[in-house]
């Protein structure tokens, strides 16, 4: 009786602590009696690495790691120290977790051999997307895709394992290192979001079963090359302005995507004359976000085809990317050009 009364009093000023991500992953695994636990372990490895990176990012301004290295990445761009740190952290966690045979990272050259030829999964990852925002303390993200390999477990992985359509993703997600760190992922049965509580070192389920609003107030685009955008995209942007929608553009894809996912909106990265296929990479950035968008009721397209239906022919393939609330993307696609 005493405890019931005390509990009722406490309920007035404490909040429920909720479901940890580990518990959530275990609960989901239990719904599939045939599941072996390998995917669950792999997700936990990603969770662990993201916590370490969240800590590094929080300290970046003090520990002097927000600057550049002397190295260039595979695209000939100067690498930032945090790009490299994030890459090392994820690679290490995935190698030690022993659930992947190979890792394709936007930062490293070639496929990383994880030393586990018997593992059935491969991971494609952009360890720190939007990292040019790091030195001004603006949010960045990690984007990841998990595929089942097409080569036989027990044999060396092949290039084909890393050239699968987005539709073949077993799971996909992102981490947003923002005002708080959030991890959002899907295994093809809806989208769930978790917020990190650093003092407890745990992610808690904060955004169950995310549904993207059918329409919204925001459009996110860098208009730098507006004159060279496809006619259809120019017309759509004009339409957004005529409707007095608001522009929101952080320049960190995960942030722009996340806002539009929760609030409703559309993200546009078109082709232009300097970059005929746009800037974003199909395998590292577009596929994971497209899977999350579709799972949440949104749409992701390159202007003609569903992003998830495109078979990449090489790892660094770029694609125009139009993604967001269903009605907004459909309006864009309906424009006659
Ligand atoms: P990155 O992989 O080199 O970080 O580039 C990807 C980033 C995205 O996060 C963002 O949406 C886009 O580049 C911004 O590009 P731009 O500066 O051309 O608007
Ligand atoms: Mg990137």
């Amino acid at each position: 009786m005493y405890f019931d009364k005390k509990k009722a009093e406490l309920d007035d000023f404490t909040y429920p602590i909720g479901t940890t991500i580990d518990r959530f992953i275990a609960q989901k695994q239990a719904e599939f009696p045939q599941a072996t636990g390998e995917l669950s372990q792999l997700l936990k490895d990603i969770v662990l690495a993201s916590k370490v990176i969240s800590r590094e990012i929080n300290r970046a301004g003090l520990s002097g790691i927000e600057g550049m290295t002397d190295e260039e990445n595979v695209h000939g761009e100067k690498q930032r120290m945090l790009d490299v740190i994030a890459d090392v952290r994820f690679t290490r966690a995935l190698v030690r977790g022993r659930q992947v045979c190979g890792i394709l990272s936007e930062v490293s050259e070639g496929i990383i051999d994880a030393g586990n030829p018997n593992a059935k999964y491969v991971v494609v990852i952009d360890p720190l997307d939007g990292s040019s925002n790091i030195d001004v303390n603006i949010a960045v993200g990690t984007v990841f895709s998990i595929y089942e390999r097409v080569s036989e477990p027990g044999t060396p992985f092949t290039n084909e394992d890393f050239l699968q359509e987005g539709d073949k993703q077993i799971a996909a997600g992102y981490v947003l290192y923002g005002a708080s760190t959030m991890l959002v992922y899907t295994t093809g049965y809806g989208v769930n979001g978790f917020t990190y509580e650093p003092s407890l070192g745990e992610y808690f389920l904060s955004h169950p079963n995310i549904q993207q609003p059918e329409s919204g107030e925001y459009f996110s685009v860098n208009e730098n090359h507006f004159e060279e955008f496809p006619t259809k995209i120019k017309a759509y942007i004009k339409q957004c302005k005529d409707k007095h929608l608001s522009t929101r553009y952080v320049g960190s894809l995960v942030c722009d995507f996340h806002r539009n996912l929760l609030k409703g909106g559309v993200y546009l990265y078109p082709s232009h004359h300097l970059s005929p296929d746009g800037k974003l990479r199909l395998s590292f950035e577009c596929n994971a976000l497209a899977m999350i968008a579709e799972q949440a009721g949104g749409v992701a397209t390159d202007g003609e085809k569903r992003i998830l239906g495109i078979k990449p022919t090489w790892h660094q393939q770029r694609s125009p990317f139009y993604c967001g609330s269903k009605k907004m993307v459909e309006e864009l696609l309906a424009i006659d050009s």
Side-chain angles (χ1 to χ4, degrees), residues 257-287:
F257 176 86
H258 184 72
R259 181 192 47 251
N260 294 337
L261 178 70
L262 297 189
K263 301 233 178 203
V266 62
Y267 178 92
L268 314 161
Y269 208 110
S271 55
H272 54 77
H273 75 301
L274 291 178
S275 200
D277 293 316
K279 176 181 185 189
L280 301 175
R281 284 153 188 118
L282 184 60
S283 299
F284 295 109
E285 288 144 344
C286 305
N287 274 340

Side-chain angles (χ1 to χ4, degrees), residues 106 126 129-131 222 249 251-253 267 269 279-281 285:
E106 203 197 38
D126 185 350
D129 186 72
S131 57
N222 179 348
Y249 193 74
S252 276
L253 176 60
Y267 178 92
Y269 208 110
K279 176 181 185 189
L280 301 175
R281 284 153 188 118
E285 288 144 344

Side-chain angles (χ1 to χ4, degrees), residues 16 50 71 100 112 127 142 152 219 282 322:
S50 76
E71 306 290 313
V100 296
I112 299 161
T142 295
E152 269 305 305
F219 67 107
L282 184 60
Y322 309 113

Side-chain angles (χ1 to χ4, degrees), residues 5-306:
K5 189 163 167 276
K6 274 285 165 225
K7 187 175 166 300
E9 281 169 20
L10 280 172
D11 279 347
D12 287 344
F13 59 91
T14 60
Y15 58 93
I17 206 68
T19 307
T20 65
I21 196 165
D22 280 6
R23 179 176 292 244
F24 183 87
I25 292 170
Q27 282 169 353
K28 290 293 151 195
Q29 185 190 322
E31 288 171 16
F32 296 89
Q34 72 283 17
T36 56
E38 291 156 287
L39 180 61
S40 298
Q41 182 56 49
L42 172 42
L43 289 168
K44 288 181 195 170
D45 297 335
I46 291 174
V47 166
L48 175 64
S50 76
K51 291 180 188 175
V52 179
I53 293 157
S54 177
R55 186 192 63 186
E56 308 280 15
I57 288 173
N58 276 318
R59 292 177 178 170
L62 295 172
S63 55
I65 52 169
E66 81 271 52
M68 297 295 202
T69 65
D70 294 330
E71 306 290 313
E72 285 186 351
N73 65 13
V74 283
H75 318 291
E77 301 153 351
K78 276 263 182 251
Q79 284 187 316
R80 281 161 199 277
M81 271 184 259
L82 261 170
D83 277 325
V84 178
I85 289 171
D87 190 43
V88 169
R89 291 295 183 193
F90 274 110
T91 305
R92 218 177 261 169
L94 291 170
V95 167
R96 291 191 179 154
R98 303 195 64 79
Q99 306 307 330
V100 296
C101 58
I103 305 156
L104 182 64
S105 161
E106 203 197 38
V107 176
S108 305
E109 199 163 352
I111 301 166
I112 299 161
D113 186 343
N116 311 308
N118 292 326
K120 68 176 180 205
Y121 295 114
V122 299
V123 164
V124 180
I125 189 162
D126 185 350
L128 205 64
D129 186 72
S131 57
S132 63
N133 277 326
I134 271 289
D135 45 6
V136 285
N137 197 18
I138 289 176
V140 290
T142 295
V143 187
F144 62 90
S145 298
I146 300 172
Y147 295 87
E148 199 164 327
R149 60 191 292 187
V150 288
S151 56
E152 269 305 305
T155 64
F157 57 75
T158 65
N159 220 16
E160 275 306 306
D161 295 330
F162 296 88
L163 292 174
Q164 302 187 54
E165 300 93 313
D167 266 334
K168 301 272 171 61
Q169 290 169 109
I170 300 294
Y174 62 84
V175 187
L176 168 55
Y177 308 98
S180 49
T181 295
M182 273 195 74
L183 190 148
V184 176
Y185 83 96
T186 180
T187 54
Y189 299 90
V191 179
N192 291 283
F194 301 80
T195 301
Y196 186 51
E197 162 46 288
S199 65
L200 297 173
E202 294 274 17
Y203 281 98
F204 291 94
L205 180 62
S206 52
H207 295 66
N209 191 22
I210 296 173
Q211 298 291 316
Q212 183 156 31
E214 283 215 327
S215 197
E217 296 296 312
Y218 299 122
F219 67 107
S220 307
V221 60
N222 179 348
E223 292 193 54
N224 192 17
H225 299 285
F226 180 86
E227 290 311 325
E228 295 108 41
F229 287 171
T231 318
K232 194 174 182 149
I233 304 305
K234 287 203 267 191
Y236 181 70
I237 292 173
K238 176 147 189 337
Q239 203 171 293
C240 291
K241 291 178 180 175
D242 291 345
K243 287 185 184 169
H244 303 290
L245 302 189
S246 294
T247 315
R248 291 283 187 280
Y249 193 74
V250 175
S252 276
L253 176 60
V254 167
C255 306
D256 288 313
F257 176 86
H258 184 72
R259 181 192 47 251
N260 294 337
L261 178 70
L262 297 189
K263 301 233 178 203
V266 62
Y267 178 92
L268 314 161
Y269 208 110
S271 55
H272 54 77
H273 75 301
L274 291 178
S275 200
D277 293 316
K279 176 181 185 189
L280 301 175
R281 284 153 188 118
L282 184 60
S283 299
F284 295 109
E285 288 144 344
C286 305
N287 274 340
L289 300 184
M291 182 176 182
I292 288 176
E294 285 200 5
Q295 283 291 316
V299 178
T301 166
D302 71 351
E304 284 167 17
K305 302 177 286 298
R306 270 176 75 237

